[in-house]
Amino acid sequence: MTSATRRLLFIYTGGTLGMVQTDAGWAPGADLEAWLDDQMAEQFPGVAHDFVALDPLVDSSSATPLTWQRILDVIDAHHDSHDAFVVLHGTDTLAFTAAALTFALSGTGIPVVLTGSQRSIVRKDSDAPDNVRGAIRSALDDRLNGVALFFDDRLLEGQHASKISTTDDHAFESMDAAPLALRVGKDLVFTPGERSPLPSAPAERQPFREADIVVIQLHPALSSARVDAMLTPAPEAVIVRAYGSGNAPEDDPQLLSALAGASAAGSVVVVTTQCAHGGVDLGHYASSQPLLDAGAVAGGTLTTEALVAGLTFLLSQGLDADQIRTTLGAATA
Ligand code: ASP
């Protein structure tokens, strides 16, 4: 780590780590900037740092693609003056934001590490100090290339993280990709190998806009009439959380024709799995063939969070449905 010459920017977006208890429940109010100044003086003397907070702060359960864009605007405005970025964020949609920034900053190599905590900095048992120090160390490490999420001793690829616990310190897991690095003592031990492929970023990035994306989780009691209603009018994209390796009921022509109708009307229909690991393999079982016939494409091992973020990114770039199907196909092959 060559931290002595580095300048770090903290981007505080909101979340539990900066909250205090109020009559109405936990809400923003801690002096996070002063706390970070202390952390830097104790742990990273000699590293210059600055602090920007979103105004207003956002509980991440209220975040939208426009919140992702507000974070990107700060990074864009400071990337000539700062070498690394730590984004302090609520845990609820941290995985979505990490994936969104990963897609948007793909190919730039700008080191951005997102983190949060299960308990506020004002509590003695807070997990924030460990997470924030790990995020700072990761962002300043020359081996990091691009966007990642640090939580509970693990540095995860931004497009493979999922929140797996509402209470445990071990709140995030990397789905279908090895962690980029593990913290052992104070050191980071990086995993050898390439990072997972990403849909290629356009030369001139357009800002995130709100997108019309529907997520449909298949279940045995789901009626095709309900699916039909969810797809009327046809959204810009549909993510089908199918069974196992991408399977759906074979004997439900109305469900499949609703999906085929949406696809024909211009929706990008992407299939992912309800399983935590392994991804989808459309065509492996006969019961996945109807989804292919309905015009669906496979989401590979991308999580639902990454698909929501990735589809929003590609739609924001002005790509049409066919271009998005091809781009996703290339990234998930
Ligand atoms: N609701 C909070 C948020 O995501 C929870 C947290 O920070 O853990 O902003």
Side-chain angles (χ1 to χ4, degrees):
M1 190 169 84
T2 55
S3 55
T5 57
R6 298 288 178 95
R7 188 167 197 97
L8 183 77
L9 183 68
F10 291 105
I11 306 174
Y12 174 36
T13 67
T16 295
L17 86 170
M19 291 187 183
V20 292
Q21 199 149 28
T22 69
D23 291 343
W26 288 85
D31 190 349
L32 194 67
E33 188 171 6
W35 181 83
L36 288 167
D37 289 344
D38 290 346
Q39 296 291 318
M40 292 302 287
E42 263 173 47
Q43 303 282 326
F44 302 92
V47 179
H49 70 278
D50 297 295
F51 177 88
V52 171
L54 295 193
D55 183 17
L57 294 169
V58 182
D59 184 297
S60 83
S61 51
S62 303
T64 70
L66 304 184
T67 314
W68 307 338
Q69 188 56 42
R70 287 169 70 199
I71 301 170
L72 273 175
D73 287 343
V74 177
I75 296 172
D76 287 342
H78 291 85
H79 104 256
D80 285 340
S81 53
H82 291 78
D83 306 288
F85 298 85
V86 169
V87 179
L88 304 159
H89 195 286
T91 60
D92 285 344
T93 63
L94 181 54
F96 290 87
T97 303
L101 298 188
T102 302
F103 290 119
L105 295 173
S106 136
T108 67
I110 300 173
V112 178
V113 181
L114 298 96
T115 194
S117 69
Q118 295 282 44
R119 293 173 302 285
S120 163
I121 57 165
V122 300
R123 287 181 49 161
K124 282 208 168 58
D125 63 348
S126 178
D127 51 334
D130 270 352
N131 289 345
V132 172
R133 285 174 202 160
I136 298 168
R137 201 167 291 283
S138 305
L140 293 170
D141 195 303
D142 291 329
R143 293 168 293 180
L144 176 69
N145 176 17
V147 180
L149 185 160
F150 189 92
F151 219 97
D152 191 37
D153 290 340
R154 287 166 181 74
L155 185 66
L156 312 178
E157 286 191 289
Q159 80 280 28
H160 279 286
S162 277
K163 182 172 177 179
I164 56 154
S165 174
T166 55
T167 51
D168 286 358
D169 286 5
H170 184 58
F172 286 85
E173 193 58 82
S174 180
M175 300 300 170
D176 284 313
L180 287 171
L182 298 177
R183 177 168 56 189
V184 181
K186 274 193 164 182
D187 293 330
L188 290 166
V189 179
F190 274 74
T191 313
E194 296 287 308
R195 290 186 64 141
S196 312
L198 287 169
S200 48
E204 197 155 327
R205 167 166 46 85
Q206 299 302 312
F208 276 109
R209 65 163 170 85
E210 281 174 326
D212 182 9
I213 299 176
V214 172
V215 178
I216 299 177
Q217 163 123 339
L218 299 186
H219 59 82
L222 180 66
S223 78
S224 46
R226 172 54 57 207
V227 173
D228 212 7
M230 288 168 85
L231 299 182
T232 308
E236 290 180 287
V238 185
I239 298 169
V240 181
R241 287 176 52 82
Y243 303 122
S245 57
N247 305 318
E250 288 171 278
D251 53 355
D252 191 341
Q254 203 191 334
L255 180 135
L256 294 160
S257 82
L259 288 170
S263 178
S267 303
V268 180
V269 181
V270 185
V271 180
T272 184
T273 175
Q274 298 174 20
C275 297
H277 297 287
V280 290
D281 182 6
L282 293 189
H284 181 76
Y285 287 102
S287 52
S288 63
Q289 190 58 42
L291 286 173
L292 282 172
D293 295 343
V297 294
T301 56
L302 289 177
T303 58
T304 301
E305 296 91 320
L307 286 172
V308 167
L311 286 165
T312 304
F313 175 67
L314 296 172
L315 288 164
S316 301
Q317 303 316 302
L319 270 60
D320 67 26
D322 277 338
Q323 289 170 314
I324 294 178
R325 290 185 190 110
T326 310
T327 308
L328 264 184
T332 57

